[in-house]
Amino acid sequence: MRVRPYAVTGGRTQSRHSATLALDTQLEPGDRPPPEHLAPEAHQIVRLCLTRRRTVAELSGRTCQPVPVVQVLVSDLLDTCALRVAPSTFSRSPDVLRDVAAAMRRKWPDARSAC
């Protein structure tokens, strides 16, 4: 049975953390289980994050919910410590990006730049 997005979030379109939850924000389990009163989709999100870190975009796809709905649910889960934002392992350092680009050129020397 498909539930309308506004019913999943209780009519809310934003929560405390929604503005800071980007599509690539990675989430992992928190220190507490989710409260029983949260939507079944929130419990599904926690179960998904138990197996490995998940991004907001991936959670949206796996739960078949729009990104804003997932952001509201994740925000609730962050507030209850059922989830936490995982530390970023991606470096935007110019040196790292240069090294990655050089490694890709070595691996695929015949590829042409699209930029």
Side-chain angles (χ1 to χ4, degrees), residues 1-6 8 40-42 44-45 48 55-71 73:
M1 182 172 123
R2 189 88 171 139
V3 178
R4 296 226 180 241
Y6 65 83
V8 174
E41 292 82 0
Q44 180 184 11
I45 287 171
L48 287 167
T55 64
V56 170
E58 183 179 359
L59 292 170
S60 174
R62 295 225 176 240
T63 60
C64 298
Q65 294 294 327
V67 170
V69 170
V70 170
Q71 288 172 320
L73 295 174

Side-chain angles (χ1 to χ4, degrees), residues 21-43:
L21 290 171
L23 290 174
D24 62 344
T25 301
Q26 291 190 354
L27 301 153
E28 62 187 13
D31 300 328
R32 298 184 181 155
E36 291 299 319
H37 71 275
L38 292 180
E41 292 82 0
H43 290 272

Side-chain angles (χ1 to χ4, degrees), residues 78-113:
L78 290 171
D79 286 342
T80 62
C81 297
L83 284 183
R84 67 176 159 234
V85 174
S88 177
T89 57
F90 179 73
S91 173
R92 290 189 168 100
S93 155
D95 294 332
V96 171
L97 294 175
R98 195 174 313 108
D99 291 345
V100 168
M104 291 175 72
R105 279 192 294 276
R106 283 192 304 274
K107 183 166 178 91
W108 296 289
D110 297 333
R112 298 187 73 190
S113 175

